[in-house]
Amino acid sequence: KTVAVTGGSGYIASWIIKFLLEKGYTVKASVRYPDDPKKANHLFALDGAKERLKLIKADLLEEGSFDALVEGCEGVFHTASPFFLETNNPQDDLLDPALKGTLNVLNSVKKTPSVKRVVLTSSEAAVSFNGKPRTPEVVVDETWFSDPDFCRENKLWYVLSKTAAENAAWKFAKENNIDLVVMNPALVLGPLLQPTLNTSSAVILNLINGAETYANVSVGCVNVKDVAKAHILAFENPSASGRYVMVERVAHYSEIVEILRKLYPTLKLPEKCDSEPPLPIYQVSKDKIRSLGIELTPLEVSVKETVESLKEKNFFKAP
Ligand code: NDP
């Protein structure tokens, strides 16, 4: 079976490609910079890649860019989307590539009858940012949708980019009879396959890099291997449908620092939060993702795997 993965060089996509190759799939992956060794070499090093992985150049902002990618594929995993938080130009840097890119990919799918299902990498960002309180008794689930107006008012540009892209994907899929399944992971942690630093791994790096304080943030966390496996099961399982929120546990940064302290007692870790009072944690339902056959890896394991991987790739030198 042949499947397509957009944004192949990325953190999550690299794991999806690794597991697809292990399962015997032929994989066509889109990358922006196929000639950049940092974007391609780790993919060609994967088992099965020489025989069954093909890289195709494509850009989210170029119309028709994904036609050649999806041609002949039964499944399309659309992961490509800019993921960073700091920008002076949210429209050009985040919103356009996320939204137009998603519609570009779906337009290519619409023209390609071989495609049976699209699995979109959305985010918990598209789920829980709607101004409703998130406190310890609140359980967020797949019925929650982030509110674009709330995102705009609060200048949550990345959150808005994921919300707008997912909303547009559902509308386009409905209008064009495309079988769409959506994954909504929160902060993704665990080992890096790619040699470059991605935004979610940088969250852990920033906590172990000698900072004096940690941010007042409560965040859902999930392991990258679980996220990649869930994408593939969502394609393979005919009864998979709708959205799948993926959060093993919501933790305040203070709790992640405590996990790091237990794992690495000699590490210099931030002692204080940068503001008060601490933002509350909340719950996220695991019922639906469990129904797909995924048991989520504990946060402690994901944190440890991230640190070990950051060490191995020389982003960080243990004292
Ligand atoms: P990465 O930054 O590693 O991956 C992002 C991918 O998108 C890269 O392959 C990047 O290509 C590609 N991309 C960005 N802009 C463009 C563009 N204009 N044209 C073509 N490709 C582009 O991050 P992740 O792997 O973490 O993110 C993958 C997906 O998962 C994203 O959709 C993200 O929103 C989502 N997500 C991530 C979470 C996390 O915590 N990591 C949590 C929830 C969702 P290039 O390599 O060339 O830069």
Side-chain angles (χ1 to χ4, degrees):
K1 271 193 187 170
T2 303
V3 292
V5 180
T6 69
S9 314
Y11 173 53
I12 296 174
S14 298
W15 277 100
I16 296 176
I17 294 170
K18 176 178 163 61
F19 289 149
L20 284 168
L21 290 171
E22 281 174 10
K23 288 187 116 174
Y25 286 94
T26 296
V27 182
K28 293 168 81 178
S30 76
V31 292
R32 273 197 285 187
Y33 312 112
D35 301 326
D36 180 347
K38 286 204 183 95
K39 299 289 180 184
N41 281 4
H42 68 284
L43 297 175
F44 284 121
L46 296 171
D47 281 348
K50 288 202 175 54
E51 304 78 25
R52 284 178 286 114
L53 175 66
K54 190 169 175 210
L55 299 191
I56 293 177
K57 188 175 160 67
D59 194 292
L60 290 171
L61 290 167
E62 240 172 74
E63 245 173 78
S65 201
F66 295 89
D67 289 1
L69 179 79
V70 305
E71 196 196 334
C73 291
E74 281 187 41
V76 173
F77 299 90
H78 176 38
T79 84
S81 201
F83 181 21
F84 45 83
L85 303 172
E86 298 297 326
T87 168
N88 293 322
N89 191 346
Q91 191 67 42
D92 288 357
D93 294 347
L94 289 171
L95 302 174
D96 282 353
L99 178 61
K100 291 185 185 166
T102 298
L103 292 175
N104 253 336
V105 171
L106 291 176
N107 250 312
S108 299
V109 167
K110 181 184 165 183
K111 294 185 269 183
T112 313
S114 62
V115 178
K116 303 283 174 270
R117 178 171 282 175
V118 176
V119 180
L120 169 70
T121 317
S122 184
S123 170
E124 194 227 352
V127 176
S128 43
F129 291 80
N130 49 23
K132 279 199 256 174
R134 280 179 278 153
T135 48
E137 24 355 296
V138 171
V139 184
V140 171
D141 66 17
E142 286 79 3
T143 63
W144 283 51
F145 280 87
S146 293
D147 173 7
D149 294 334
F150 177 83
C151 298
R152 228 174 250 115
E153 279 154 27
N154 292 282
K155 297 193 166 51
L156 300 169
W157 304 122
Y158 169 71
V159 177
L160 178 61
S161 79
K162 297 304 287 179
T163 305
E166 190 190 322
N167 286 344
W170 282 121
K171 184 164 180 283
F172 189 96
K174 211 171 184 184
E175 286 167 3
N176 295 284
N177 220 1
I178 291 171
D179 181 358
L180 176 71
V181 180
V182 172
M183 312 310 296
N184 300 85
L187 187 79
V188 182
L189 300 175
L192 295 72
L193 292 173
Q194 86 285 0
T196 51
L197 186 66
N198 61 290
T199 296
S200 55
S201 305
V203 166
I204 299 296
L205 184 61
N206 289 338
L207 292 175
I208 58 179
N209 235 352
E212 299 290 328
T213 59
Y214 51 82
N216 190 359
V217 173
S218 288
V219 65
C221 301
V222 62
N223 191 288
V224 67
K225 290 175 274 183
D226 298 340
V227 173
K229 281 179 195 158
H231 276 72
I232 298 171
L233 288 175
F235 166 64
E236 291 178 336
N237 186 339
S239 64
S241 73
R243 320 165 87 198
Y244 291 86
V245 177
M246 296 194 71
V247 173
E248 191 273 326
R249 170 177 159 195
V250 179
H252 189 268
Y253 276 12
S254 61
E255 297 176 77
I256 301 180
V257 169
E258 276 321 301
I259 291 171
L260 285 163
R261 209 181 300 285
K262 280 210 184 90
L263 287 169
Y264 304 98
T266 58
L267 215 56
K268 182 187 175 312
L269 291 163
E271 301 282 345
K272 296 194 300 280
C273 191
D274 66 2
S275 66
E276 292 281 341
L279 274 186
I281 55 160
Y282 53 99
Q283 300 175 59
V284 179
S285 170
K286 295 180 185 170
D287 295 348
K288 198 158 175 225
I289 192 63
R290 280 191 174 137
S291 76
L292 203 54
I294 295 280
E295 268 311 317
L296 297 166
T297 305
L299 176 59
E300 287 75 5
V301 176
S302 304
V303 168
K304 182 161 193 221
E305 287 181 349
T306 313
V307 176
E308 293 302 315
S309 188
L310 291 169
K311 274 202 276 189
E312 189 200 303
K313 293 184 184 287
N314 289 320
F315 287 110
F316 165 74
K317 293 222 178 335

